Amino acid sequence: MRNEPANRLDASALKYWKWNGFLSSLFWWIAPLAYFFAIRFWEWPQWILGVLVIACVGITILATTLFPKITWERWRYDVSNQEIDLLYGRWIKKRTIIPMVRVQHVDTKQGPLMKQFALSAVTISTAAGSHEIPALAEEVADELRDRISILARVEIVAAIDLSEIP
């Protein structure tokens, strides 16, 4: 059995995910707000508004406290000369091993909220799809992107050289 990957995401990821969770939870507040205005026009029961508010408070608390903590604690990654090892999952652990010979493209991305926390994500593309290592410090993400790119090229050259041997 393999050991778990050793590298963790940046500690700022926790703050980033808390803010992201808060901003995402604002979407849920549309329902009680709409119901509040609907009560003014129609004679709908007011207790439903209370239930909606309590549900939204719960969603906001979970999205800003529990979910970010669990996500940050579960995320691990390693990059070796032969493969990229990802371990993640909030409720169900998922482990993805990406052989370097399968890597086609490596990219970094950074949204406005990530920029506030000096974080970037590394996206690894293969023929089967793409995988992401989220919330790394900008410098770490840039170094990791460059390292994976170099290792992927080395693996491709090695694979070509091996195939030419009779």
Side-chain angles (χ1 to χ4, degrees), residues 79 84 100 103 106 124 144-152:
V79 177
I84 302 162
M100 282 297 174
V103 174
V106 185
I124 303 139
L144 191 60
R145 178 199 60 218
D146 295 344
R147 181 171 173 226
I148 292 170
S149 177
I150 290 167
L151 290 172

Side-chain angles (χ1 to χ4, degrees), residues 34-53:
Y35 196 85
F36 173 77
F37 287 111
I39 289 173
R40 304 288 177 227
F41 295 107
W42 300 286
E43 294 182 21
W44 290 358
Q46 290 190 3
W47 65 269
I48 294 176
L49 179 61
V51 170
L52 290 173
V53 168

